[in-house]
Amino acid sequence: LQLRHGGSYRCGGWVRTGWSPWVKSAPVTVRVHGVPLSGVSVRAQPPGGQVALGDRLVLSCAVATGTGPLSFSWHRGGSRAPLGTGPRLELRHAGDNDSGHYQCRASDGDSVAESVPLNVTVL
């Protein structure tokens, strides 16, 4: 079910008895309410956010509840400039300057929710 599915609905059908073969029901109004975003979290692979210098690190963003479509952005150290978009952020060859606190922001177009920052350490 999506927000655009709200509206007025009725059903109809062919009936063999009575003077009119086509019969329609009374209309019913369906209202679809959006679910606010909540429970945005970040998971790291390898787990714990510790990665060896030059190795690969993948961060994944998940949303527990919320009505889509959703968009994602990644931020480090409270920066407003996004490092990437989408539910995953991949650092193919982690470097010294990749250590820091990473955060995912999810948006449904009306509201924004942020994850708790994940501390990434490049060893």
Side-chain angles (χ1 to χ4, degrees):
L1 188 65
Q2 296 181 9
L3 292 173
R4 64 182 171 84
H5 291 130
S8 182
Y9 290 86
R10 67 171 60 206
C11 65
W14 294 101
V15 179
R16 291 187 183 262
T17 60
W19 66 272
S20 175
W22 179 258
V23 178
K24 291 190 282 186
S25 72
V28 63
T29 300
V30 174
R31 289 188 180 93
V32 181
H33 300 280
V35 176
L37 291 175
S38 67
V40 179
S41 62
V42 175
R43 190 180 69 225
Q45 187 60 38
Q50 291 190 345
V51 62
L53 185 66
D55 282 358
R56 179 175 173 250
L57 174 71
V58 178
L59 303 178
S60 300
C61 187
V63 177
T65 62
T67 304
L70 302 177
S71 61
F72 300 90
S73 63
W74 290 93
H75 305 270
R76 184 176 61 215
S79 171
R80 294 185 57 81
L83 297 170
T85 58
R88 289 173 31 118
L89 178 68
E90 181 177 349
L91 304 176
R92 292 188 178 175
H93 304 286
D96 290 326
N97 60 345
D98 289 325
S99 291
H101 290 86
Y102 286 75
Q103 194 170 28
C104 172
R105 289 183 187 148
S107 174
D108 61 5
D110 292 322
S111 63
V112 175
E114 297 179 343
S115 70
V116 172
L118 173 74
N119 187 32
V120 169
T121 305
V122 178
L123 305 170

